[in-house]
Every structure is written in C-alpha cells, then in structure tokens.
Amino acid sequence: MHRVGSAGNNANASRPRKERRLTYVLRDSNDSKHCSGVNCLILPGVDAPGGGGDGGHYLFSGSRDGTLKRWELGNEGAVCGVTFESHVDWVNDVVVTSNDTLVSCSSDTTLKTWRAYANDGECTRTFRQHSDYVTSLASAHQSNIVASGGLGCEVFIWDLEAAMVPLARASSEAGSEGRYDGFPSGLSVPAERLSTANSTGNASGAMLANSYAPISAKGHKESVYALAMNDSGTLLVSGGTEKAVRVWDPRSGAKQMKLKGHTDNVRALLLDPTGRLWDLGQQRCVHSYAVHTDSVWTLASTPSFSHVYSGGKDLSVYVTDLATRESTLLCTEQQPVLRLTLQGDEWLWVTTTDSALNKWPSQERASLKAFQRASTFVAGSLPFTRARACMDGSAPVALYTHPTSTIPGTAGIVRHSILNDRRHVLTKDATGNVKLWEITRGTVITDFGKVSFEDKEKELFEMVSVPAWFTMDTRLGSISVHLDTPQCFSAEMYAADLHVPGASEELKLNIGQETLRGLMASWMTRRRQRSSITSTAANGDAESGIGEHHPDRRPSSDDSHDDSNSHQPLVLPAFEFSTSSPPSIITEGSQGGPWRKKASELDGSEDEKDLPWWVMDCVLHNRLPPRENAKCSFFLQPCEGTSLQILTQGKLSAPRILRMHKVVNYVLEKLVIDKPLEDSVSETTSTTGRQGSQQAVGNGYGPFRPGSRVWQQPVKPVVEIVCNDQVLPLEMSLATVRAYIWKKPEDLCLQYRTVPNR
C-alpha cells in the first residue's frame, strides 16, 4: 500500500521535498458508478437521526475509487445525484452530522466536509491532523461532534461548529484564556454498553492563533480501525490492532477504561444502551458470539438492538437474535463484505470489495417457511465451536439467494501492462475484460472482451524503445497516470507519426508536454478569458498578451520578453481528452495539500498555490526543464571487408528517436562513389572529420539535413545500416537499436555498406 503525503503533517516534515507531482485519473464511463470496492455506507435518516428531513430518501457511499456519491432512493431504484470528489486516495468512512454536514475520511490522511444535500459536490473544508491513513469516523447524532481514528495510533475529537466558525467569531468566543471547547457544560457519562466485532496527558480543543485544533485522545499504541460514539457525544469507544477496546470521555480526551477479551484486531463497534455484550460499568464482557468462520469487518443493529447483522471476510451476512443467541445466514455475497446499513426494519444494504451496492430483505421480511429452510444455529461462545459446526454439517443455506435490487458499479481494473510505445496500456478488469487504452487521450481504443491477458500482451509487443516518461497504478480501480518533472518530458515523437496535418518530417513533439496541454486545455481557455476580462477592465482593451498579466507564474529570466501565451498552439487531435468522461486531476500547489478535481471543472483561477509551477511553465510559457539522455552517441563506420571510405573519425550524437533511414541519408550525403557529386554539395562534404564528435541530423541538431542532394548518374546506391551483424529496418530508432540489438553499455556502434541496387 502506498502512502500519500499530506502537507501540514508534522510526521512528513523531515522528508526531503520533491517537486510536486501531477496525476490524472482515467475512467471508461461516466461518474454515475463506483469503480472499486465500497468501504462505507450511510442512510442519514437511519444511521444519523437529525440528518435532514429528507435523509431517509438518500444513501451516501464512499469508495476505494476516491469518491463519495449521494444516491436518490425511489421505487424505481437508485439514481446517483451527486459525486463528491476531492480525496486523492481511498474513502474509508463517512458520517452525516445534525446540521447536514457530510464528513468523510480517507487514506490520504485527511477529513473533508461537504454540504450533504447540495448539488454542487464541493468540498467545504479539509482537515489535516492525522499522520497516516484515517480509517474510521464516529459522530454524536445530537450535536456536531465527530471523532476520527487511523493507522497513526491517533484519535481526534472534532467540534465541527467550532472548526468551521470564522476566526474573528472564534476569538471572541474563546474567552480570556483563549480556549474554545465547543461542548455544553453539565454533561454526564451514562452507563452505556458496548457491542464489538473482531478478526481471529489529556488535551483540550482550542482555537489557536490561526487554526482550530481538535481534542486528542492520547493513549493508543497501535492502529485504530473502529470508533463508536453515543448520541449525546459523552462516550467514545475505539478499537484496533491492540485487540482491546478503549473507552474515552470525548469532552476532554481522557481515558476511562480498557476492555480486554478479543484475540485479534477489533474492526467494528456498536454502542447499545441495554448492555447485551459488554458491561461498561463492570468493565467486563457479558456475552461472546462465535458466528463467522473468518474475520468480522462490519456490524449493524436494529433500532431496538434486538438483532445484530454481521459480515466480513467469509462473504457471509448473518443476523443474530441477541435474546435467543440464534444466528441465521441471511445471504452470501460474491466478495468479502465491507459495510452493512439497515434501511428501516425491512431492508439491508450490503457493500463489498466489488463496486456494486446490494439491497437485501432483512430478517423481518422472511417467511416462516424460509426460516425453516435456512441455516440457523445457536452461536457458541468460542470460535472453534462455530468452525466445528461448519465442518460437521453440509453447506449452509442462506435465507435469501438474490438481492432485491442492485446499484451497479463499474468493474475495477485489477491488472495492467504499459506497452513499449509508452502511449498505450493494456488492462484487465475484475470481470476479465481486456482493453487497450491510449493514455495520451485518456480513452479506450479497443475492447477485446474476455480474452487471455498474457496472449494479448504478447500479440501487441513491439520492438521499440521509448523513455519511461510516466508511471501508473490502478489502486483506485482506474488508471492513475503520474507525471513527475523532469522525467515526464523525456520522450519525443515525430509529428508525422501522430498524423499531424502539415507537419514536416523533422518536427518533433514532446509527449509529456502535449499530454499536459491536452489535460489543461479547458483551464488554459478559461485562463485566457479571465485574463482578457482583467486586461479590458484595467486598460480599456484586450490586446496585450496573457503573459503580461500573470505575476503568479514562476519567475524566469525570459519573462520580460516571453510572449508565448498569446499564441498558445491548439491541442493536437492525438492528445484530445474526452469531454463526456473527462479525466480527474490530482496534484498539489505551493500551499495546502493534495486535491482532486475534474479537469473540465478547472475555472482558470488556479495558479501556483494550486498547481505545480512546472506544469504552468510548460503549458503557458512553452518552457521545459533540462533533460538528460535526450540524445544518443554512436560510432558510424564502414563494414569490414568493404572499400568504403571512413566518413567520420569520432562519435556522432543524435536524438534518440532518429531513425535508420536518416542515418542512411547521412551516409549518402557523405559517401563518394565512382564519380564526384555536384559542386554545390562538395563544400558540405569537406567539413567531415573537422571535429572528434559531430551531430547527426534531426530537427536542427546538425549542420546539414540528409536527403537534400540530387544524385547524378549512375543511380544512387542502396545503403544498409548494420549492427551486431543484423541489417536494421529503416524505421527503427537509435534508442530501439541500442535496447534490442546492441544490448551493451558502451556507445552504440553502427556500420554501413552498399548493396547492389535491385
């Protein structure tokens, strides 16, 4: 699992600072579906009383694809109303507070807030307090108190009303001591009881000089996976890899007790006011239920806490009657179960490591006949009791075999291979479909269906060498292409190979630069528009160039005469990204932490505070950083046994993409066979050998251009270029020859010879 650094985390402060990365995320469909496992799910009308008058009609989900979605529930099914996009890694948990604020946490180490029922999907605030993945949230339904825990052994308690209040107001409310707790006085801790699931110095909230600081519940020595809080916000429980449950006073962060009994990680927690499983007053376990055959990852209970639903790694969902200890297999999913949420008393929503959301009938809707047919047993107190019952009997029979309805998802990508041309990527999704992507346009160009990934990869192999100008992963269930400077500017192509209309044979294009122009096309257009408006308002006309009105760009010695902005070239067809399913941008500016947004939603106001300076330098000012290994050095000598003259005494240097047919032209330029060439070219030939190292042709790299001579009689000879006794194809590049034919660390050695003209 990779770790996403976050600006503002003290734990990352000692790491050397690298240039900020730009990532773009590609989707093969629109945003109406998740494309990876759904980690969290909430029905505000049920899970968060007070979550809004319309809460019962909405379902919120958070996914490993980095997005949250609000689903509008109706008789005809569920429709995605809004996608909330700002997290740059997995969304792990979500809650809705009493004032209709949606709060999410992520593996990007942040908490984010959103207006739950607004239609803009805009993030309203980002909190960066955790030093590692944030895995769990808990909320007090009668207030705006939210707790967060994660892998950094940290638990923080947030008063969202205090955290969101303007600084001037917060200062006045802080009082003479400069403290602001945001909790009402006089609250007492009730004798709450606890339900858990597992798998085999105090600080106060304060409004600091420039930011809100949450309460820290200090004491965890290991990662935190689960949190639960009572409705009034007076009791908080946490669990994780310590195999114990800790109890806290969220008003002060003080430890109250530590409950031991589990033998593995605690992954889910529920608070029950009736005290069925744990008695917090006596600090002891009251009952233990061995139901599952593998790790239990999620719990849900009826409002009266008479029945508890559980699911986890064994793909099974059980419902347990806490009064009779009877457990019934409700259903079996195809993938491990990640989250359970009840919709009233009749329906249970289930999410898994798949991208779909399934709606199952609850046990309340089951007939007596169905119960008699389903597998029911009395839950034992020890895990081996359940395991033995499973082995002794036949395969368990579920109460239901098919969900009532499904909110479909898009199959996530589980395997990929970057092809040698560094423009195409072969992928395989969770259903076995194999597709070919063109990442410089962000689109699928061929859907091969369910075929062998290995066979298709071999079929698409090309003997071509292109520098690795990007890296990628599929952690979010989709393609994430990472661009880092200066590596992303290391690959070039001839414009003619991209079928650019009217392009000369010598014109080269930088793949990274053209890709960035395609990604940022909408941003550049809107930036021009904003600049034009600003210029008109300031000067009464809009004739001056864009570059004259952007003090936010990176300072450069040529800024005073750089006018490239006003003549920005159009995006080439080979780099035009989809407008129906635009890519998402993930990056980080000079202030704040990483953020994510649709490329089409950038409004042109983003500057160096939001975007890496090198991206702006590239797309606005046509400036690229210095690059290494842009050229290839090689020797060019006559083949042994031939009487051809030696054309040069030293090494030649040429672009890596230079092809053999241009080397052939170079040889023909210099070669003297039988009769001299016309006088107009003898002057160029005479320069041969003046320097120990010369430059071969290629878009101005050398003092001449091949193929410019007109051969007289006899007919122009046929020249072959040879390397390691292999005749090289005319379309093969220097880089490809070096990688696949030469295969040595020393400078490349090419030989030439003439053959009879056929």
Side-chain angles (χ1 to χ4, degrees):
M1 297 175 70
H2 76 283
R3 310 240 180 228
V4 178
S6 175
N9 286 350
N10 293 332
N12 296 332
S14 61
R15 299 178 183 176
R17 184 67 178 179
K18 294 183 178 180
E19 293 293 354
R20 290 176 287 272
R21 162 182 287 184
L22 184 135
T23 296
Y24 61 97
V25 182
L26 304 178
R27 291 288 303 271
D28 189 22
S29 59
N30 58 34
D31 270 348
S32 63
K33 300 177 182 179
H34 284 303
C35 66
S36 191
V38 181
N39 281 340
C40 49
L41 195 66
I42 187 171
L43 272 158
V46 178
D47 295 84
D54 296 328
H57 301 296
Y58 294 104
L59 180 69
F60 294 88
S61 60
S63 171
R64 295 178 177 181
D65 63 15
T67 69
L68 299 100
K69 296 187 185 298
R70 188 184 73 205
W71 305 93
E72 300 174 2
L73 305 179
N75 295 331
E76 302 300 323
V79 177
C80 179
V82 177
T83 294
F84 303 90
E85 184 175 13
S86 183
H87 283 297
V88 302
D89 209 333
W90 291 7
V91 177
N92 294 322
D93 207 355
V94 61
V95 296
V96 176
T97 66
S98 60
N99 67 349
D100 295 345
T101 298
L102 182 70
V103 186
S104 58
C105 69
S106 167
S107 295
D108 63 13
T109 75
T110 70
L111 277 70
K112 291 181 181 289
T113 61
W114 326 71
R115 290 183 292 271
Y117 303 106
N119 294 322
D120 55 12
E122 289 288 332
C123 175
T124 56
R125 187 72 182 270
T126 298
F127 299 103
R128 311 179 192 280
Q129 193 74 24
H130 285 268
S131 62
D132 210 330
Y133 295 2
V134 191
T135 57
S136 182
L137 297 174
S139 63
H141 297 155
Q142 296 175 9
S143 67
N144 292 314
I145 306 303
V146 173
S148 60
L151 302 189
C153 313
E154 301 155 327
V155 173
F156 296 111
I157 299 105
W158 306 81
D159 181 350
L160 293 186
E161 184 176 356
M164 304 289 282
V165 75
L167 183 60
R169 176 185 161 194
S171 300
S172 64
E173 293 178 349
S176 59
E177 297 182 359
R179 303 176 68 83
Y180 181 82
D181 290 333
F183 287 91
S185 60
L187 292 179
S188 60
V189 180
E192 299 282 348
R193 312 301 168 91
L194 178 68
S195 173
T196 62
N198 79 318
S199 54
T200 298
N202 304 336
S204 296
M207 185 64 64
L208 303 181
N210 58 355
S211 64
Y212 167 83
I215 294 173
S216 176
K218 297 181 180 179
H220 270 286
K221 299 178 181 178
E222 297 184 26
S223 299
V224 177
Y225 280 137
L227 295 171
M229 190 183 296
N230 65 347
D231 288 349
S232 60
T234 58
L235 186 68
L236 174 68
V237 293
S238 60
T241 58
E242 288 183 272
K243 307 173 186 177
V245 177
R246 292 183 180 269
V247 183
W248 313 84
D249 182 351
R251 296 165 298 182
S252 63
K255 291 183 292 186
Q256 292 189 330
M257 64 190 74
K258 182 178 180 180
L259 306 175
K260 296 182 179 180
H262 286 295
T263 59
D264 210 329
N265 301 339
V266 177
R267 297 294 297 267
L269 292 166
L270 289 176
L271 276 173
D272 167 30
T274 63
R276 305 290 177 89
L277 301 182
W278 290 86
D279 188 323
L280 299 190
Q282 301 183 34
Q283 300 186 30
R284 69 183 184 91
C285 178
V286 179
H287 292 292
S288 180
Y289 296 80
V291 177
H292 291 264
T293 59
D294 211 328
S295 305
V296 182
W297 290 350
T298 178
L299 297 170
S301 71
T302 57
S304 63
F305 223 93
S306 61
H307 293 79
V308 170
Y309 294 83
S310 57
K313 193 175 180 180
D314 63 1
L315 318 185
S316 302
V317 177
Y318 285 92
V319 55
T320 300
D321 188 325
L322 297 186
T324 65
R325 298 181 63 92
E326 288 188 343
S327 293
T328 302
L329 179 61
L330 185 79
C331 62
T332 301
E333 288 282 359
Q334 300 298 312
Q335 303 291 337
V337 178
L338 296 178
R339 190 59 60 99
L340 303 173
T341 297
L342 276 164
Q343 183 180 349
D345 293 330
E346 297 187 335
W347 306 105
L348 180 71
W349 287 94
V350 180
T351 69
T352 69
T353 54
D354 184 35
S355 55
L357 292 76
N358 290 327
K359 181 181 180 182
W360 295 86
S362 70
Q363 56 90 22
E364 295 289 340
R365 296 181 62 88
S367 64
L368 178 61
K369 185 176 181 180
F371 263 111
Q372 292 173 343
R373 184 175 63 251
S375 296
T376 301
F377 58 92
V378 177
S381 299
L382 298 174
F384 68 80
T385 307
R386 174 68 188 97
R388 182 182 301 134
C390 181
M391 290 185 291
D392 293 344
S394 58
V397 178
L399 193 59
Y400 304 108
T401 57
H402 300 285
T404 301
S405 63
T406 296
I407 300 177
T410 301
I413 296 174
V414 297
R415 188 175 180 184
H416 72 275
S417 176
I418 302 173
L419 301 190
N420 285 351
D421 65 1
R422 302 288 172 177
R423 292 180 57 236
H424 295 91
V425 171
L426 191 68
T427 64
K428 180 180 180 180
D429 65 27
T431 62
N433 283 317
V434 176
K435 297 178 181 179
L436 183 64
W437 294 72
E438 187 173 355
I439 62 163
T440 53
R441 291 195 298 130
T443 186
V444 173
I445 57 175
T446 308
D447 186 343
F448 298 108
K450 292 180 172 60
V451 299
S452 169
F453 184 87
E454 294 80 4
D455 292 346
K456 186 57 64 175
E457 186 179 16
K458 292 177 182 177
E459 178 186 329
L460 295 174
F461 173 81
E462 288 183 278
M463 188 182 292
V464 60
S465 177
V466 177
W469 60 278
F470 69 92
T471 57
M472 65 165 287
D473 65 58
T474 56
R475 173 178 167 80
L476 301 180
S478 52
I479 292 178
S480 295
V481 180
H482 310 296
L483 303 181
D484 295 283
T485 187
Q487 295 90 339
C488 67
F489 301 114
S490 61
E492 295 178 322
M493 287 188 67
Y494 285 109
D497 294 336
L498 294 170
H499 309 292
V500 176
S504 70
E505 184 182 354
E506 305 298 331
L507 178 62
K508 295 193 300 295
L509 300 175
N510 188 288
I511 301 178
Q513 182 180 29
E514 297 301 329
T515 300
L516 282 173
R517 285 175 175 165
L519 280 171
M520 306 299 290
S522 177
W523 175 79
M524 287 191 291
T525 299
R526 291 169 182 170
R527 190 173 180 87
R528 285 195 185 94
Q529 294 170 349
R530 296 172 69 94
S531 178
S532 177
I533 294 173
T534 302
S535 176
T536 301
N539 304 321
D541 59 67
E543 295 181 0
S544 54
I546 288 179
E548 300 173 23
H549 301 283
H550 291 289
D552 57 294
R553 74 188 188 205
R554 183 169 179 258
S556 174
S557 60
D558 61 353
D559 272 0
S560 60
H561 53 78
D562 181 18
D563 195 34
S564 59
N565 294 320
S566 58
H567 305 287
Q568 196 67 241
L570 297 175
V571 175
L572 299 175
F575 300 92
E576 289 181 343
F577 285 81
S578 170
T579 55
S580 60
S581 183
S584 296
I585 300 291
I586 295 177
T587 190
E588 181 179 359
S590 60
Q591 300 178 11
W595 55 270
R596 171 175 171 171
K597 200 171 189 178
K598 283 279 184 294
S600 58
E601 295 176 0
L602 300 177
D603 62 10
S605 66
E606 296 83 7
D607 54 25
E608 281 191 358
K609 296 189 297 294
D610 311 296
L611 297 168
W613 66 263
W614 57 268
V615 173
M616 300 184 66
D617 238 14
C618 169
V619 299
L620 287 180
H621 311 311
N622 202 31
R623 291 196 290 259
L624 303 182
R627 290 166 287 155
E628 297 181 358
N629 302 322
K631 295 183 180 180
C632 178
S633 297
F634 62 99
F635 293 97
L636 187 60
Q637 302 169 345
C639 288
E640 293 183 6
T642 65
S643 59
L644 298 175
Q645 72 267 30
I646 298 176
L647 301 182
T648 177
Q649 299 297 326
K651 289 189 294 185
L652 294 168
S653 179
R656 291 169 47 88
I657 62 173
L658 189 80
R659 292 181 174 169
M660 290 304 105
H661 75 81
K662 293 195 175 184
V663 179
V664 168
N665 290 344
Y666 176 83
V667 172
L668 289 172
E669 289 272 358
K670 300 296 184 182
L671 205 57
V672 177
I673 300 178
D674 292 336
K675 71 184 293 185
L677 301 177
E678 58 184 349
D679 294 338
S680 62
V681 298
S682 60
E683 181 179 352
T684 305
T685 305
S686 66
T687 63
T688 303
R690 286 188 303 180
Q691 299 177 358
S693 177
Q694 301 180 34
Q695 288 191 328
V697 67
N699 197 22
Y701 280 86
F704 53 84
R705 297 182 181 277
S708 62
R709 299 193 176 196
V710 178
W711 277 83
Q712 310 299 316
Q713 297 295 328
V715 178
K716 182 169 62 174
V718 175
V719 172
E720 290 180 338
I721 305 299
V722 179
C723 180
N724 278 351
D725 298 326
Q726 295 186 46
V727 177
L728 304 179
L730 295 180
E731 296 305 310
M732 187 173 285
S733 69
L734 286 173
T736 303
V737 173
R738 184 178 182 87
Y740 292 98
I741 308 298
W742 182 243
K743 301 179 183 178
K744 299 176 185 178
E746 297 86 5
D747 285 325
L748 175 64
C749 184
L750 302 179
Q751 296 177 313
Y752 54 91
R753 67 188 183 193
T754 58
V755 296
N757 194 330
R758 302 181 183 85

